[in-house]
């Protein structure tokens, strides 16, 4: 039996986490955009204070938005770490002097 996970499987899991984080963050962001996220100016009444969307109140949606955004940011950081060698190789190739036509082969 193989020790650990393959690089491809790790990439897949990280990408799925980024995608799910994005979807939840986008949904909750749109809900917060249309229903607001505060209690009103200086504690005044907010007509959307008691609004629920799909059985979730604003406070749950606000927390869901924060957590999913953190998951997405962590996933992007993990993605950058996993592909750092490729990123640096491509950056070197892009900024090489035009005199040198030989580019380095970058592996994913």
């Amino acid at each position: 039996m193989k020790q650990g996970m393959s690089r491809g499987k790790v990439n897949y899991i990280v990408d799925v986490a980024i995608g799910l984080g994005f979807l939840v963050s986008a949904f909750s962001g749109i809900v917060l955009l249309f229903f607001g996220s505060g209690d009103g100016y200086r504690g005044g009444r907010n007509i959307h204070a008691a609004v629920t969307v799909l059985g979730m109140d604003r406070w749950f949606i606000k927390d869901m938005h924060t957590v999913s955004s953190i998951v997405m940011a962590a996933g992007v950081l993990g993605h950058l770490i996993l592909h750092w060698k490729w990123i640096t190789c491509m950056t070197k190739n892009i900024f090489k002097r035009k005199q040198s036509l030989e580019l380095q082969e970058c592996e994913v």
Side-chain angles (χ1 to χ4, degrees):
M1 195 151 83
K2 199 173 173 183
Q3 292 283 340
M5 282 194 279
S6 70
R7 187 175 175 97
K9 199 172 206 177
V10 171
N11 277 327
Y12 177 78
I13 291 169
V14 168
D15 290 348
V16 167
I18 293 170
L20 290 175
F22 169 76
L23 290 175
V24 173
S25 183
F27 166 75
S28 57
I30 290 168
V31 169
L32 292 173
L33 175 67
F34 289 110
F35 296 109
S37 60
D39 288 327
Y41 180 70
R42 294 191 181 185
R45 293 187 182 258
N46 183 350
I47 59 171
H48 300 297
V51 171
T52 61
V53 176
L54 299 174
M56 300 176 286
D57 65 5
R58 287 181 322 116
W59 305 113
F60 179 78
I61 293 172
K62 191 174 177 183
D63 290 342
M64 182 174 62
H65 184 72
T66 301
V67 170
S68 63
S69 297
I70 291 169
V71 167
M72 185 171 48
V76 168
L77 180 63
H79 189 81
L80 290 173
I81 290 168
L82 286 170
H83 296 295
W84 187 251
K85 188 176 178 182
W86 180 84
I87 292 168
T88 57
C89 179
M90 288 302 294
T91 302
K92 287 177 187 175
N93 281 344
I94 289 170
F95 290 107
K96 271 191 174 178
R97 294 179 186 237
K98 293 180 181 175
Q99 298 165 350
S100 172
L101 296 176
E102 188 177 316
L103 298 177
Q104 182 180 356
E105 185 69 30
C106 299
E107 293 183 26
V108 179

